[in-house]
Amino acid sequence: NAIDDKNTISNEEVIQGLKTALTVGTDTSVKRLSAVDGYFKDAAVKILLPPEAAPIFNNLSKIPGGQQLVDNTVLAINRAAEDAAPEATTIFVDAITGITIGDGMSILNGNDSAATTYLKKGTYTPLKNTFAPKISASLNKPIVLGTSAEQLYSDLVNTYNTASLNGVLFPKITQNTLGEYVTTKALDGLFYKVAIEEGKIRNDANHRVSQILEKVFGTKWL
């Protein structure tokens, strides 16, 4: 039912539709990622160890119990992200509500993730700053084997450094960027999922759960 007359839909309706799509996409994404294994068993968003931990993998066989320590730490990191994910709903909704969309029609006629890209560009830094303490709190919960992700990571690094004879045998790890790293990865995972949901709303009528979504995305405004 393609319509070429752009005047049949107002820019306000387009913006409302875009914001609704982002809100629906966010809600769906948060629910999926906050479920058990939402991050951990999704290869596209699973969070691994921070970059500074690379020497651990290069010398894994020389670290007593190294593989199990790594596995427990990675599991705890992803459990922390899953635990913090519900906190993202309000943060995202506030950002979506407050964002000013200048050219709604351009975004509407963009690619399948154009609205998500626009949202990320305009709100990523404040979103990250707001989400960071939520992630930090989850990283410090005793979430795996009665131990927090932060403690497990610290134990892993300490075990590695001890095995390295404090940097004599192989490079010592002196950084701990876990909080900042997981915040970034968890948020990137959320944006990745929101973009997928936006694409579904654009291309599949079954995902247009409101009248405004159907009006805005159910017609090709070329």
Side-chain angles (χ1 to χ4, degrees):
N1 59 333
I3 298 176
D4 291 331
D5 185 0
K6 296 180 181 180
N7 295 323
T8 60
I9 186 171
S10 69
N11 193 55
E12 288 73 21
E13 287 175 313
V14 171
I15 292 171
Q16 183 186 351
L18 292 171
K19 289 187 175 184
T20 301
L22 289 170
T23 301
V24 170
T26 296
D27 185 62
T28 302
S29 300
V30 166
K31 285 178 180 175
R32 289 180 178 171
L33 290 177
S34 62
V36 174
D37 291 333
Y39 276 95
F40 185 65
K41 288 192 176 179
D42 187 333
V45 295
K46 182 178 181 179
I47 305 171
L48 304 178
L49 296 181
E52 75 247 15
I56 291 175
F57 293 96
N58 297 334
N59 301 280
L60 197 57
S61 63
K62 304 168 189 173
I63 305 169
Q67 187 61 61
Q68 191 61 56
L69 287 170
V70 168
D71 291 346
N72 290 342
T73 303
V74 170
L75 175 60
I77 287 170
N78 284 274
R79 287 288 181 264
E82 291 158 10
D83 182 71
E87 303 286 350
T89 300
T90 301
I91 298 171
F92 262 105
V93 170
D94 288 347
I96 292 165
T97 302
I99 196 170
T100 300
I101 299 178
D103 190 350
M105 193 62 74
S106 176
I107 297 170
L108 179 61
N109 287 328
N111 62 36
D112 282 357
S113 60
T116 304
T117 300
Y118 187 88
L119 175 68
K120 185 173 183 178
K121 183 178 179 180
T123 68
Y124 188 83
T125 298
L127 272 171
K128 182 180 176 182
N129 292 340
T130 306
F131 196 44
K134 313 294 185 182
I135 285 287
S136 179
S138 293
L139 287 171
N140 282 285
K141 289 182 178 181
I143 229 160
V144 170
L145 303 174
T147 310
S148 71
E150 282 282 11
Q151 186 61 55
L152 284 165
Y153 184 61
S154 178
D155 290 347
L156 172 62
V157 169
N158 288 338
T159 301
Y160 163 84
N161 282 336
T162 299
S164 76
L165 298 182
N166 213 27
V168 173
L169 298 180
F170 24 89
K172 184 178 181 180
I173 296 175
T174 58
Q175 283 185 294
N176 183 346
T177 65
L178 194 62
E180 181 180 359
Y181 169 78
V182 175
T183 299
T184 299
K185 289 297 183 181
L187 200 54
D188 286 348
L190 277 165
F191 272 110
Y192 175 81
K193 290 298 186 184
V194 173
I196 290 175
E197 294 304 316
E198 178 189 347
K200 291 178 180 177
I201 289 170
R202 285 177 179 271
N203 297 298
D204 186 346
N206 293 324
H207 289 271
R208 298 178 201 134
V209 295
S210 67
Q211 186 176 3
I212 189 65
L213 288 177
E214 180 57 36
K215 180 170 185 178
V216 173
F217 293 99
T219 302
K220 300 299 181 184
W221 304 97
L222 303 174

